């Protein structure tokens, strides 16, 4: 009835061919990602872990599904299981780490240890972009830019080499080949528009 589940808003995502709709479905204690097959009108699980898995994003070729999960902090929210997070003591996560599901093999890989509070998105079929940090943390806002390459699933930060301890890199855009990006780098006293070779 709603796209807000356990306090998390997660938009559905159509596969590039329009055949499947990836959608977050609330389980008793966690969030799972299911695919609705448009032709067969059935639901099939894509990601079921026991953790909060949300913000699905298809690669342009349909080979991968990126998503965010809190499973590194909370392996399960099911009461009574080992390593379970207690929902009475801990609220739903407002972010997590980026994972990628290989649709062909069924293998799920964590691509970074960086905490994100935003939906990952695809630059092209080989490059997944995401942010690190929390732009909305009122006391210590931060936002870094990251790109993970497929199929290696290796992530690296895109940043200026000016020695700044905290950077706010926002409003990014990428060329379709993923070789160059433009973003606004915000410091404590100034802001610059940067065009950078990845």
């Amino acid at each position: 009835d709603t796209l807000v589940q356990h306090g998390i808003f997660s938009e559905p995502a159509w596969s590039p061919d329009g055949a499947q709709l990836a959608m977050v479905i609330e389980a008793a204690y966690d969030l799972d990602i299911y695919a609705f097959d448009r032709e067969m009108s059935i639901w099939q699980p894509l990601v079921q872990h026991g953790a909060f898995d949300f913000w699905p994003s298809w690669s342009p070729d349909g080979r991968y599904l990126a998503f965010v999960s809190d499973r590194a902090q909370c392996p399960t929210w099911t009461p009574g299981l080992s390593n379970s997070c207690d929902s009475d003591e801990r609220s739903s996560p407002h972010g997590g780490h980026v994972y990628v599901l290989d649709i062909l093999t069924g293998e799920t890989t964590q691509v970074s240890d960086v905490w994100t509070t935003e939906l990952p998105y695809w630059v092209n079929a080989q490059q997944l972009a995401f942010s690190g940090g929390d732009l909305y943390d009122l006391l210590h806002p931060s936002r870094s830019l990251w790109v993970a390459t497929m199929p290696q699933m290796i992530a690296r930060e895109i940043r200026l080499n000016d020695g700044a301890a905290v950077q706010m890199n926002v409003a990014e855009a990428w060329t379709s080949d993923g070789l160059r990006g433009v973003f606004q780098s915000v410091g404590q006293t100034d802001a610059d528009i940067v065009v950078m070779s990845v």
Side-chain angles (χ1 to χ4, degrees):
D1 296 332
T2 177
L3 296 177
V4 178
Q5 316 251 350
H6 284 299
I8 297 172
F9 173 72
S10 187
E11 289 186 33
W14 283 106
S15 61
D17 61 3
Q20 295 187 81
L21 178 68
M23 192 165 179
V24 173
I25 303 292
E26 183 178 58
Y29 302 104
D30 60 80
L31 297 177
D32 298 322
I33 301 174
Y34 279 76
F36 179 75
D37 187 300
R38 188 172 54 104
E39 188 173 309
M40 298 177 63
S41 295
I42 58 171
W43 290 98
Q44 295 177 324
L46 286 174
V47 180
Q48 286 184 304
H49 184 272
F52 281 73
D53 300 311
F54 49 97
W55 296 338
S57 177
W58 291 96
S59 64
D61 60 0
R63 166 79 187 266
Y64 303 104
L65 182 79
F67 62 96
V68 172
S69 178
D70 76 329
R71 63 182 67 180
Q73 284 75 31
C74 292
T76 181
W77 286 83
T78 304
L81 297 180
S82 62
N83 299 323
S84 176
C85 291
D86 188 343
S87 61
D88 292 334
E89 298 175 2
R90 195 169 182 165
S91 62
S92 297
H94 67 283
H97 297 109
V98 176
Y99 290 78
V100 172
L101 168 66
D102 186 327
I103 299 297
L104 293 181
T105 67
E107 185 177 341
T108 298
T109 304
Q110 181 178 345
V111 298
S112 172
D113 290 329
V114 176
W115 185 264
T116 185
T117 57
E118 298 176 46
L119 170 79
Y121 61 95
W122 294 89
V123 176
N124 53 49
Q126 287 77 41
Q127 291 177 299
L128 173 69
F130 58 96
S131 67
D134 187 350
L135 188 61
Y136 303 104
D137 182 335
L138 297 178
L139 297 178
H140 306 288
S142 65
R143 188 173 189 273
S144 56
L145 303 178
W146 292 79
V147 174
T149 56
M150 304 296 135
Q152 300 85 2
M153 299 194 191
I154 298 171
R156 60 193 174 105
E157 186 177 5
I158 307 302
R159 63 174 293 150
L160 299 174
N161 293 321
D162 61 0
V166 176
Q167 287 188 321
M168 294 262 293
N169 297 324
V170 297
E172 70 275 9
W174 307 95
T175 56
S176 59
D177 60 10
L179 296 179
R180 290 190 172 275
V182 60
F183 58 90
Q184 184 167 7
S185 182
V186 181
Q188 292 183 347
T189 59
D190 61 353
D192 298 308
I193 304 296
V194 178
V195 177
M196 180 179 284
S197 170
V198 173

